[in-house]
């Protein structure tokens, strides 16, 4: 009986943590992006220029350096 209670409590905690994680990722962060001016400008620029921000994590790719220079130049010109 104690084992099933512990399992149900752990599953409930996991479900709560997963729900909160998705709420932050898909709820709070997009609102934050739209409410902070610099984040909104960067988001709009990334969409307009069709830049994939996930490429910034691959530091060995030459395109990252090129896209970072382009993004900095584009932000500086605004």
């Amino acid at each position: 009986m104690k084992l099933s209670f512990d399992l149900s409590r752990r599953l409930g905690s996991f479900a709560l943590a997963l729900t909160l994680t998705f709420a932050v990722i898909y709820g709070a962060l997009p609102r934050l992006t739209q409410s902070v001016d610099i984040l909104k400008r960067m988001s709009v620029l990334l969409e307009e220029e069709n830049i994939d921000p996930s490429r910034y994590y691959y530091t060995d790719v030459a395109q990252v350096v090129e896209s970072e220079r382009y993004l900095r130049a584009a932000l500086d010109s605004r």
Side-chain angles (χ1 to χ4, degrees):
M1 191 98 147
K2 175 126 170 114
L3 181 62
S4 67
F5 176 72
D6 288 341
L7 180 61
S8 65
R9 187 173 183 174
R10 287 174 52 199
L11 286 174
S13 296
F14 175 73
L16 178 62
L18 193 62
T19 301
L20 288 174
T21 300
F22 282 119
V24 168
I25 291 172
Y26 295 110
L29 292 179
R31 288 184 182 162
L32 179 68
T33 301
Q34 295 303 316
S35 63
V36 177
D37 185 51
I38 186 70
L39 295 177
K40 186 175 183 177
R41 285 183 16 219
M42 288 177 65
S43 174
V44 168
L45 182 66
L46 289 172
E47 287 179 15
E48 285 176 356
E49 300 299 327
N50 205 14
I51 297 173
D52 183 9
S54 65
R55 289 189 180 203
Y56 286 108
Y57 294 107
Y58 303 106
T59 57
D60 292 337
V61 179
Q63 294 170 339
V64 173
V65 176
E66 181 183 338
S67 62
E68 183 177 351
R69 286 182 188 151
Y70 179 78
L71 181 59
R72 286 180 191 227
L75 286 174
D76 289 341
S77 68
R78 289 185 180 214

